[in-house]
């Protein structure tokens, strides 16, 4: 029996199933997240999180695990979306099949919603791995001689007529590939897309131009007119900060001897909430991908509070990779039907943040990202997590 003062939380999973969890009224975000991970038997949980819609501006916020849920969502219903928070640079290195499967579901949603874009041939190749994982080998006796057996599949928002035929041709070449192998191939190809794992935020630069700021495992990307105009990898970024609606990047000078050669870039966002949201995403990505362990949140000192106390509180990628929690028998799980998954995503059950223009960056033709752009682990002393200072 649910007590009237308990929190009744509904969580939408990546396969678009919903589950409800009843918690104590003072429960923190970590309690809900742990219960969801236990329910779906997820061990590699550090890459995931729970999102909710900010009632002030209608955008997504990540649920803070250290704060009480009722202080983050002021009013019922308490509705959350389980999602990938940190996209690993190489998702094929994930240990368990279920983790890779959930990553595939997130990327399929990103493609269906248009947050992640690619050419028709790449869409078709990715789609063929989905078909192979769900239907197995192509058999003319069972599937027919043409692509009509794929009529219920949806791989992108505006699916051209010729795509299913291309998927059909690719599918025929995957004979003998297991569902697990097909999902590995899906991840290996999807990770090379230009906007893979890039969290996008609209802003205006110092010259008054509309830009989109992207945050990823590699650093911060700046887009203008749907083109990438700047990319600052984390080692080149000295500090990220915000004040009211202004977000600033301090870039390291080209030479260590050039003390005054650093650059400070300023951007204006629509609101303080949007600016702080972008800053938090930057702090968390820097901490997760660049540090061996996260900095502890500062303690209160007296009555004076300057800036934000927010720090990333979870484990870093370095700690996740060395965790012993995945040394277990692989859990069994059921793959969702593509027809049901696609229809629910496109019907809007899992809401997406609207952007005026998703950057259309040229694909990398399957090449690996350059070594200097790959995230590496460094000690916290060498790269302190970015902070905000109240001026």
């Amino acid at each position: 029996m649910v007590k009237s003062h308990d929190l009744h939380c509904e969580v939408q999973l990546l396969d678009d199933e919903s589950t409800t969890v009843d918690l104590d009224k003072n429960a923190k975000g970590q309690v809900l997240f742990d219960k969801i991970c236990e329910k779906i038997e997820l061990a590699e949980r550090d890459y995931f999180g729970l999102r909710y819609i900010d009632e002030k501006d209608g955008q997504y916020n990540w649920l803070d695990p250290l704060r009480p849920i009722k202080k983050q969502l002021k009013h019922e219903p308490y509705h959350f979306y389980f999602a990938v928070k940190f996209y690993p640079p190489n998702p094929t290195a994930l240990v368990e099949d279920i983790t890779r499967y959930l990553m595939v579901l997130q990327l399929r949603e990103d493609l269906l919603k248009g947050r992640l874009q690619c050419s028709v041939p790449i869409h078709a190749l990715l789609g063929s791995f989905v078909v192979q994982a769900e239907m197995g080998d192509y058999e003319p006796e069972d599937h027919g001689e043409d692509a009509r057996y794929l009529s219920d599949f949806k791989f992108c928002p505006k699916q051209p007529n010729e795509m299913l035929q291309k998927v059909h041709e690719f599918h025929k070449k995957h004979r003998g590939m297991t569902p697990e192998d097909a999902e590995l191939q899906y991840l290996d190809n999807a990770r090379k897309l230009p906007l893979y794992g890039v969290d996008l935020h609209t802003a205006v630069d110092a010259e008054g131009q509309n830009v989109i700021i992207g945050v990823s495992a590699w650093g911060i990307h700046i887009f203008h007119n749907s083109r990438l105009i700047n990319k600052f990898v984390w080692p080149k970024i000295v500090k990220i900060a915000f004040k009211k609606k202004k977000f600033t990047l301090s870039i390291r000078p080209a030479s260590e001897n050039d003390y005054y050669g650093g650059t400070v870039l300023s951007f204006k966002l629509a609101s303080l909430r949007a600016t702080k949201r972008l800053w938090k995403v930057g702090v968390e990505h820097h901490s997760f991908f660049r540090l061996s362990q996260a900095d502890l949140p500062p303690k209160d000192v007296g009555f004076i509070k300057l800036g934000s106390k927010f720090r990333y509180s979870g484990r870093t990628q370095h700690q996740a990779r060395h965790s012993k929690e995945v040394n277990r028998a692989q859990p069994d799980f059921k793959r969702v039907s593509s027809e049901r998954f696609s229809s629910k995503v496109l019907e809007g059950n899992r809401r997406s943040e609207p952007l005026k223009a998703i950057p259309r960056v040229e694909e990398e033709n399957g090449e690996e990202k350059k070594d200097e752009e790959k995230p590496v682990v460094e000690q916290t002393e060498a790269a302190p997590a970015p902070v905000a200072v109240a001026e």
Side-chain angles (χ1 to χ4, degrees):
M1 181 177 179
V2 181
K3 300 178 182 178
S4 60
H5 59 272
D6 283 351
L7 298 180
H8 185 69
C9 302
E10 182 179 2
V11 180
Q12 201 161 339
L13 305 175
L14 278 166
D15 62 3
D16 249 44
E17 291 288 349
S18 292
T19 185
T20 56
V21 179
D22 295 312
L23 302 173
D24 179 79
K25 64 178 181 178
N26 296 315
K28 295 182 178 180
Q30 189 67 51
V31 176
L32 176 60
F33 180 70
D34 287 343
K35 286 185 176 295
I36 295 300
C37 290
E38 290 168 7
K39 179 178 177 61
I40 62 177
E41 299 185 82
L42 178 64
E44 295 173 281
R45 57 185 67 179
D46 303 283
Y47 300 94
F48 300 85
L50 292 173
R51 300 196 293 183
Y52 63 92
I53 297 174
D54 190 326
E55 60 186 26
K56 297 289 186 180
D57 61 7
Q59 300 300 307
Y60 276 127
N61 285 334
W62 289 104
L63 184 67
D64 189 332
L66 299 184
R67 294 181 61 207
I69 294 173
K70 68 179 183 180
K71 288 191 176 182
Q72 300 180 66
L73 281 80
K74 303 298 183 183
H75 308 289
E76 295 184 2
Y78 297 113
H79 191 92
F80 301 91
Y81 301 85
F82 183 80
V84 174
K85 185 174 186 178
F86 302 113
Y87 290 74
N90 183 10
T92 63
L94 294 168
V95 176
E96 295 196 328
D97 294 335
I98 187 171
T99 318
R100 294 192 292 269
Y101 172 65
L102 292 173
M103 198 69 64
V104 167
L105 287 181
Q106 180 68 75
L107 290 167
R108 287 175 62 188
E109 179 187 324
D110 291 345
L111 286 164
L112 281 167
K113 289 290 191 180
R115 294 193 296 263
L116 188 59
Q117 299 183 351
C118 60
S119 63
V120 171
I122 299 299
H123 262 304
L125 177 62
L126 294 172
S128 69
F129 294 127
V130 172
V131 174
Q132 180 69 21
E134 186 170 330
M135 304 187 73
D137 294 341
Y138 167 72
E139 300 290 353
E141 299 81 7
D142 300 328
H143 302 135
E145 297 292 341
D146 54 29
R148 282 180 289 182
Y149 70 102
L150 301 173
S151 59
D152 291 332
F153 284 83
K154 189 80 170 176
F155 303 108
C156 61
K158 298 179 181 179
Q159 189 161 289
N161 295 330
E162 69 271 17
M163 181 177 289
L164 292 185
Q165 184 59 37
K166 291 181 182 293
V167 174
H168 170 60
E169 295 300 325
F170 281 125
H171 182 206
K172 291 192 292 185
K173 300 176 182 179
H174 299 332
R175 179 167 293 277
M177 191 179 289
T178 65
E180 293 77 17
D181 290 338
E183 286 161 0
L184 273 171
Q185 290 297 320
Y186 185 102
L187 292 173
D188 192 43
N189 283 273
R191 73 185 177 96
K192 298 167 186 173
L193 297 177
L195 291 179
Y196 167 80
V198 181
D199 194 318
L200 302 173
H201 304 255
T202 56
V204 176
D205 67 11
E207 299 177 356
Q209 299 181 117
N210 292 323
V211 297
I212 294 178
I213 302 174
V215 183
S216 74
W218 295 274
I220 293 182
H221 318 241
I222 310 297
F223 302 92
H224 174 60
N225 287 339
S226 298
R227 297 182 65 86
L228 178 66
I229 59 173
N230 267 313
K231 183 175 181 180
F232 305 103
V233 293
W234 289 121
K236 298 294 184 183
I237 299 174
V238 178
K239 183 175 72 172
I240 61 175
F242 76 96
K243 179 183 178 183
K244 298 182 180 178
K245 296 182 181 180
K246 186 170 77 170
F247 175 77
T248 57
L249 280 175
S250 299
I251 308 302
R252 193 182 305 277
S255 170
E256 293 183 1
N257 299 323
D258 187 4
Y259 182 78
Y260 298 100
T263 303
V264 178
L265 303 177
S266 297
F267 304 89
K268 185 178 180 181
L269 279 79
S271 65
L272 169 61
R273 301 180 80 83
T275 310
K276 189 171 184 179
R277 184 180 295 120
L278 168 59
W279 175 79
K280 280 187 173 182
V281 169
V283 170
E284 292 186 316
H285 274 71
H286 175 271
S287 299
F288 184 78
F289 289 109
R290 291 292 298 175
L291 305 183
S292 57
Q293 64 181 26
D295 292 335
L296 294 175
K299 297 180 180 180
D300 290 340
V301 180
F303 296 99
I304 301 175
K305 296 182 180 180
L306 296 177
S308 173
K309 296 188 299 179
F310 176 78
R311 297 291 186 276
Y312 173 63
S313 59
R315 296 194 304 186
T316 64
Q317 180 175 241
H318 176 74
Q319 291 171 313
R321 285 173 172 172
H322 292 82
S323 171
K324 297 180 180 179
E325 294 173 5
V326 292
N327 294 333
R328 62 173 184 172
Q330 294 264 5
D332 295 326
F333 62 95
K334 184 178 180 181
R335 289 173 171 82
V336 65
S337 156
S338 287
E339 180 182 4
R340 185 179 67 81
F341 175 80
S342 301
S343 62
K344 285 197 172 185
V345 169
L346 292 172
E347 285 169 4
N349 278 19
R350 290 181 62 86
R351 187 176 171 279
S352 63
E353 297 177 74
L355 284 176
K356 293 181 179 178
I358 301 291
R360 300 185 67 86
V361 187
E362 292 182 4
E363 292 166 11
E364 300 183 24
N365 297 320
E367 297 179 1
E368 294 285 348
K369 289 179 169 62
K370 295 179 181 179
D371 290 340
E372 63 266 25
E373 295 176 358
K374 291 182 180 179
V376 296
V377 174
E378 61 182 30
Q379 298 300 317
T380 53
E381 299 85 9
V387 297
V389 179
E391 300 176 4

